[in-house]
C-alpha cells in the first residue's frame, strides 16, 4: 500500500510534467524515422546500436545524454520532496531502510524506464553480435544510475528540507531588466538540463549536415532532417516557458507594453537560444548557406513561439502542430527543395 | 474616472460577471462581496489582465481600443502574488521602474516604506509569503497611474505593514490624485481613510451600495 502511494506520488507527476517531451522524442525516434529514412526503422536503429557499441566516442555521447536524463529525474525527485504537499514522503525515513531503498529503486526504474527500455534492446543486440565491451558498459552504466539514484533518494528522505544543490544560485548572474532577460534567466537556471540536451542534439546534427561530413547528398538530407528535429525540439522549451509565464509572469499582461515591444522581447529570446547554432554556422558554412539555415531555424522558433498564442494550449495540440511542421519539412527536404544548401 | 460599459466575462460558456454600466468618480472605493462573487474577476478585467466582452474606460481611454495607453493609467496588486523565484526583488522593481518610467526617488521612498531594503537583493524564492505580498504592493505603487487596484491587500501582511498601508493610500490620493479600488475581507480604513464609495459584488454583477 505504502509503496503504491510512493510510486504514484513520485512517478505520475513526472510523466505528467514530461509527457510532452517524451512523446516528442518517441515520435522523432520511431515514427518520424520510419517515414523519413529510406533504409527503414529497424535497419536505422540497428546501425545506431552498432555505432554506439563499437565506437567509443558515440557511446560516450549516448551515455552522456542518458546521464542528463538521469540528472533530470534526480532533480525532479529533489524538488518534489521540497514541496509542502509531498512532505508526507519523509515518512519513508521511518520505515526499514532496506524496504525504503527497494521502494525508491522501483521509483527510479519507473522514472528511467524510457532509457531502460531502449537499453534492453541495445543489450540484446549487443550480446547477440558479441559486442561485449560496449554492451557491458551500457549494462554497468544503467545499473549504476539506478542503484546510485535510489541511494541518493534514501539519503534525501532521511534529511527533510535538504535537496536541491545550491551551487548554481551562487553563480553571479548578470542582473536582468527586460522581459526577454527574464525568459533567458528561466532557461539557464530552471531548464538548463533540457536546454543543454537540446543544444547537444541540435548542434551535433547541424555538424552532421555540414558538407563533407557525410560524403553524399542523402546523408546531408538526413542530417538536415535530424537538425530540424533539434530545432523543433525547442518547442518543448517554448511550451514549458508558456506554462511558467502563465503562473509566474502573469503580471506582464497588465503592463503598458505594446504588442511590437512584446514581440521584440521574444525575438531576442529566440536569438539567444540559437547562439550555439549561429557559431557553428558562422565557422563552418559559406555565408549564403549559413544565412539560409539560420533564417530557417530562427523563423521556426518564432513560429513555434507565436503559435503558443494561437490556441495551441493543450500539450497534445501543440505536439500535433509540431508534428505537422515536421512533416512539411520532410516533404521539403526529400523533394530536394533544400539541396542547394549542400552544394553551396 | 472609471467607466465600465456592458462588460461581460464568460467561463466555458457561463456568464460569471455581467456589469451593464458602472461609473466611478476619482476616489477610494471598497469592493465587497462573498467568496466567489466575482470581485477578483472584476479587478482583473479592469487591470486588463483578463479578456471580456464590452469595454472599460479610464478617463476617456478605452481598454479595448488603446490597451497600452489604458494600462499606463492602471496598476494592480494580486491577492496571491506569484513571481519567478529565480529573479531578485530588485530586478523586478527595476523592470517596473523602466516600464512605468518611475523616478529613482519614488522607488527609494516605496522601498523604505515597505521595509524591503535588505530583501530586494535576494531571490524571490527565498521570500516569505508576507515579503512577496509587500513586493507586489510596492510594484503596484510604482509610476504615476491614475488608478491602483488592490486585491486583498492585507492578506498575509504583518501588523506593521497593514497598519501603514492606509497612510500610503491616503498620501497617494492627496498628493498625486490617485484613485483606489480594493477588495478586503477586513476593514482597511482604520478610521483615517475616507471612502468615496462602496461597491457590492453579488448575483454576478457589481453595483454601488447606496
Amino acid at each position: 500500500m505504502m509503496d503504491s502511494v510512493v510510486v504514484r506520488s513520485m512517478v505520475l507527476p513526472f510523466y505528467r510534467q514530461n509527457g510532452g517531451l517524451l512523446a516528442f522524442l518517441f515520435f522523432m525516434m520511431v515514427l518520424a524515422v520510419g517515414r523519413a529514412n529510406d533504409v527503414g526503422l529497424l535497419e536505422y536503429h540497428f546501425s545506431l546500436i552498432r555505432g554506439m557499441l563499437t565506437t567509443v566516442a558515440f557511446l560516450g555521447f549516448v551515455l552522456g545524454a542518458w546521464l542528463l536524463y538521469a540528472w533530470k529525474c534526480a532533480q525532479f525527485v529533489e524538488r518534489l520532496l521540497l514541496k509542502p504537499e509531498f512532505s508526507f514522503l519523509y515518512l519513508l525515513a521511518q520505515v526499514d531502510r532496506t524496504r525504503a531503498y527497494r521502494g525508491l529503486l522501483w521509483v527510479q526504474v519507473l522514472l528511467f524506464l524510457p532509457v531502460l527500455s531502449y537499453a534492453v534492446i541495445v543489450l540484446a543486440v549487443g550480446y547477440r553480435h558479441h559486442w561485449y565491451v560496449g554492451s557491458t558498459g551500457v549494462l554497468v552504466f544503467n545499473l549504476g544510475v539506478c542503484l546510485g539514484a535510489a541511494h541518493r533518494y534514501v539519503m534525501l528522505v532521511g534529511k527533510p528540507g535538504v535537496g536541491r544543490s545550491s551551487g548554481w544560485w551562487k553563480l553571479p548572474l548578470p542582473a536582468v531588466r527586460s522581459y526577454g532577460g527574464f525568459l533567458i534567466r528561466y532557461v539557464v537556471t530552471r531548464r538548463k538540463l533540457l536546454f543543454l540536451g537540446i543544444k547537444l542534439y541540435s548542434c551535433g546534427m547541424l555538424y552532421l549536415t555540414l558538407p563533407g561530413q557525410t560524403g553524399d547528398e542523402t546523408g546531408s538530407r538526413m542530417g538536415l532532417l535530424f537538425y530540424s528535429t533539434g530545432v523543433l525540439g525547442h518547442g518543448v522549451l517554448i511550451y514549458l516557458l508558456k506554462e511558467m509565464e502563465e503562473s509566474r509572469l502573469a503580471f506582464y499582461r497588465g503592463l503598458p507594453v505594446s504588442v511590437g515591444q512584446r514581440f521584440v522581447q521574444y525575438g531576442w529570446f529566440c536569438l539567444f537560444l540559437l547562439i550555439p547554432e549561429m557559431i557553428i554556422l558562422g565557422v563552418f558554412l559559406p555565408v549564403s548557406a549559413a544565412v539560409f539555415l539560420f533564417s530557417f531555424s530562427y523563423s521556426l522558433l518564432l513560429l513555434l513561439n507565436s503559435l503558443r498564442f494561437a490556441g495551441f494550449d493543450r500539450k497534445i495540440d501543440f505536439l500535433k502542430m509540431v508534428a505537422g511542421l515536421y512533416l512539411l519539412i520532410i516533404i521539403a527536404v526529400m523533394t530536394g527543395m533544400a539541396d542547394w544548401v549542400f552544394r553551396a | 474616472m472609471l467607466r465600465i460599459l456592458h462588460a461581460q466575462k464568460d467561463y466555458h460558456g457561463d456568464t460569471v460577471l455581467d456589469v451593464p454600466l458602472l461609473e466611478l468618480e476619482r476616489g477610494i472605493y471598497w469592493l465587497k462581496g462573498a467568496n466567489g462573487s466575482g470581485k477578483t474577476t472584476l479587478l482583473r478585467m479592469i487591470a486588463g489582465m483578463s479578456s471580456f466582452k464590452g469595454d472599460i474606460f479610464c478617463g476617456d481611454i478605452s481598454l479595448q481600443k488603446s490597451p497600452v495607453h489604458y494600462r499606463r493609467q492602471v496598476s494592480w496588486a494580486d491577492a496571491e502574488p506569484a513571481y519567478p523565484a529565480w529573479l531578485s526583488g530588485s530586478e523586478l522593481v527595476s523592470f517596473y521602474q523602466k516600464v512605468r518610467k518611475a523616478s529613482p526617488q519614488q522607488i527609494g521612498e516605496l522601498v523604505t516604506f515597505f521595509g524591503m531594503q535588505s530583501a530586494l537583493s535576494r531571490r524571490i524564492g527565498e521570500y516569505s509569503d508576507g515579503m512577496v505580498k509587500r513586493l507586489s504592493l510596492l510594484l503596484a505603487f510604482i509610476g504615476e497611474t491614475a488608478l491602483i487596484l488592490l486585491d486583498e491587500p492585507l492578506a498575509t501582511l504583518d501588523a506593521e505593514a497593514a497598519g501603514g498601508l492606509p497612510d500610503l493610500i491616503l498620501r497617494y490620493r492627496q498628493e498625486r490624485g490617485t484613485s483606489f479600488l480594493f477588495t478586503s475581507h477586513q476593514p482597511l480604513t482604520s478610521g483615517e481613510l475616507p471612502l468615496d464609495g462602496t461597491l457590492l459584488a453579488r448575483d454576478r454583477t457589481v453595483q454601488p451600495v447606496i
Side-chain angles (χ1 to χ4, degrees):
Chain A
M1 179 64 184
M2 185 200 73
D3 292 346
S4 160
V5 171
V6 169
V7 167
R8 272 189 290 144
S9 305
M10 299 175 87
V11 176
L12 289 184
F14 177 82
Y15 283 104
R16 225 173 272 140
Q17 184 179 313
N18 297 288
L21 171 66
L22 294 169
F24 177 78
L25 288 175
F26 181 77
F27 175 81
M28 292 305 175
M29 289 297 288
V30 178
L31 302 178
V33 165
R35 285 190 178 91
N37 196 314
D38 291 340
V39 294
L41 178 65
L42 291 178
E43 291 85 349
Y44 168 77
H45 281 282
F46 178 74
S47 63
L48 209 61
I49 291 170
R50 185 178 55 196
M52 189 192 306
L53 297 180
T54 57
T55 313
V56 175
F58 192 25
L59 180 62
F61 177 79
V62 173
L63 295 187
W66 288 359
L67 195 60
L68 279 179
Y69 181 74
W71 191 6
K72 183 178 175 56
C73 296
Q75 272 199 332
F76 176 85
V77 171
E78 287 179 13
R79 286 185 180 154
L80 190 89
L81 289 171
L82 289 174
K83 290 181 180 173
E85 60 266 39
F86 290 98
S87 55
F88 70 91
L89 289 169
Y90 288 109
L91 286 174
L92 279 171
Q94 294 173 23
V95 302
D96 173 51
R97 193 177 165 87
T98 311
R99 191 180 160 198
Y101 185 84
R102 216 169 42 227
L104 290 167
L105 179 62
W106 182 232
V107 166
Q108 173 61 18
V109 166
L110 291 176
L111 295 179
F112 211 49
L113 202 56
V115 169
L116 291 177
S117 310
Y118 199 72
V120 167
I121 299 170
V122 170
L123 290 176
V125 173
Y127 282 117
R128 186 182 164 84
H129 287 82
H130 310 293
W131 297 318
Y132 293 118
V133 176
S135 303
T136 306
V138 168
L139 180 65
V140 169
F141 172 85
N142 282 287
L143 280 174
V145 162
C146 289
L147 296 173
H151 180 68
R152 167 105 177 122
Y153 302 157
V154 170
M155 277 176 55
L156 287 174
V157 294
K159 294 177 182 172
V162 176
R164 190 182 302 174
S165 59
S166 58
W168 182 269
W169 292 89
K170 304 300 177 196
L171 282 178
L173 293 169
V176 287
R177 288 184 63 198
S178 67
Y179 193 74
F182 293 168
L183 302 181
I184 291 170
R185 175 72 68 79
Y186 169 72
V187 170
V188 299
T189 57
R190 292 304 170 95
R191 295 294 171 191
K192 51 186 178 290
L193 276 186
L194 178 61
F195 181 59
L196 191 62
I198 291 172
K199 287 297 113 179
L200 279 175
Y201 179 84
S202 172
C203 291
M205 289 303 135
L206 181 58
Y207 187 74
L208 288 179
T209 309
L210 299 175
Q213 294 303 314
T214 51
D216 59 13
E217 211 163 71
T218 308
S220 291
R221 280 183 181 179
M222 288 310 298
L224 184 58
L225 274 185
F226 280 102
Y227 171 60
S228 305
T229 62
V231 178
L232 288 172
H234 289 78
V236 177
L237 202 56
I238 286 170
Y239 186 85
L240 291 171
L241 195 76
K242 190 194 176 193
E243 286 187 331
M244 182 279 295
E245 285 181 280
E246 292 289 331
S247 61
R248 299 282 156 179
L249 292 171
F251 65 85
Y252 189 55
R253 282 205 300 266
L255 290 178
V257 183
S258 68
V259 174
Q261 285 173 304
R262 286 169 200 257
F263 187 77
V264 167
Q265 294 300 318
Y266 287 115
W268 282 117
F269 172 69
C270 291
L271 206 59
F272 163 81
L273 292 183
L274 288 176
I275 286 175
E277 285 85 349
M278 281 161 63
I279 292 171
I280 292 181
L281 289 172
V283 170
F284 293 106
L285 279 186
V287 176
S288 58
V291 167
F292 169 80
L293 280 175
F294 170 73
S295 306
F296 164 72
S297 316
Y298 190 52
S299 51
L300 207 51
L301 281 201
L302 289 176
L303 178 64
L304 286 174
N305 190 62
S306 301
L307 285 169
R308 296 181 322 148
F309 299 99
F312 294 94
D313 290 336
R314 292 193 314 150
K315 223 174 254 181
I316 186 71
D317 293 335
F318 193 73
L319 199 63
K320 279 181 190 168
M321 184 270 297
V322 172
L325 282 175
Y326 188 56
L327 283 176
L328 288 178
I329 294 169
I330 289 174
I331 293 167
V333 172
M334 291 322 222
T335 53
M337 286 165 70
D339 282 359
W340 68 272
V341 178
F342 314 129
R343 291 190 286 267
Chain B
M1 182 271 303
L2 183 74
R3 187 156 54 100
I4 301 175
L5 205 57
H6 302 301
Q8 185 179 317
K9 178 70 185 173
D10 298 333
Y11 280 126
H12 307 298
D14 287 336
T15 299
V16 294
L17 197 64
D18 185 1
V19 184
L21 178 67
L22 181 67
E23 291 181 305
L24 301 178
E25 295 301 319
R26 287 177 181 275
I28 301 172
Y29 296 89
W30 185 357
L31 172 59
K32 293 181 176 180
N35 292 333
S37 57
K39 302 187 297 294
T40 297
T41 302
L42 179 70
L43 291 194
R44 291 180 69 84
M45 286 161 63
I46 299 173
M49 303 276 292
S50 176
S51 61
F52 60 93
K53 295 176 194 162
D55 206 351
I56 298 177
F57 296 82
C58 187
D60 295 331
I61 305 163
S62 155
L63 170 58
Q64 305 291 22
K65 288 180 184 155
S66 311
V68 177
H69 198 179
Y70 174 94
R71 287 187 175 101
R72 283 199 193 109
Q73 309 297 317
V74 181
S75 66
W76 124 288
D78 208 337
E80 294 173 2
Y83 298 112
W86 62 95
L87 291 179
S88 68
S90 62
E91 284 172 322
L92 262 189
V93 170
S94 297
F95 179 65
Y96 265 73
Q97 182 184 359
K98 192 174 75 170
V99 173
R100 293 262 182 220
K101 298 182 172 58
S103 68
Q105 187 195 347
Q106 186 196 26
I107 299 296
E109 285 172 5
L110 287 171
V111 168
T112 306
F113 180 86
F114 284 104
M116 297 285 293
Q117 298 94 322
S118 58
L120 276 187
S121 58
R122 300 205 317 262
R123 306 274 177 210
I124 296 170
E126 298 169 18
Y127 285 17
S128 65
D129 288 347
M131 290 305 285
V132 173
K133 186 71 179 181
R134 282 179 184 229
L135 177 65
S136 79
L137 290 169
L138 190 162
L139 296 174
F141 278 86
I142 289 177
E144 298 295 335
T145 54
L147 172 65
I148 297 180
L149 307 161
L150 304 173
D151 193 6
E152 293 295 341
L154 300 185
T156 71
L157 276 190
D158 58 31
E160 184 192 348
L165 190 59
D167 297 335
L168 185 66
I169 291 175
L170 196 58
R171 211 169 77 208
Y172 264 59
R173 177 79 200 100
Q174 290 170 343
E175 295 174 6
R176 299 167 187 257
T178 312
S179 295
F180 288 86
L181 175 57
F182 64 88
T183 68
S184 180
H185 289 293
Q186 303 138 273
L188 185 65
T189 55
S190 71
E192 302 164 7
L193 192 63
L195 281 180
D196 294 284
T198 304
L199 308 174
L200 183 63
R202 193 174 60 184
D203 300 330
R204 300 183 181 189
T205 192
V206 177
Q207 290 177 326
V209 177
I210 302 167

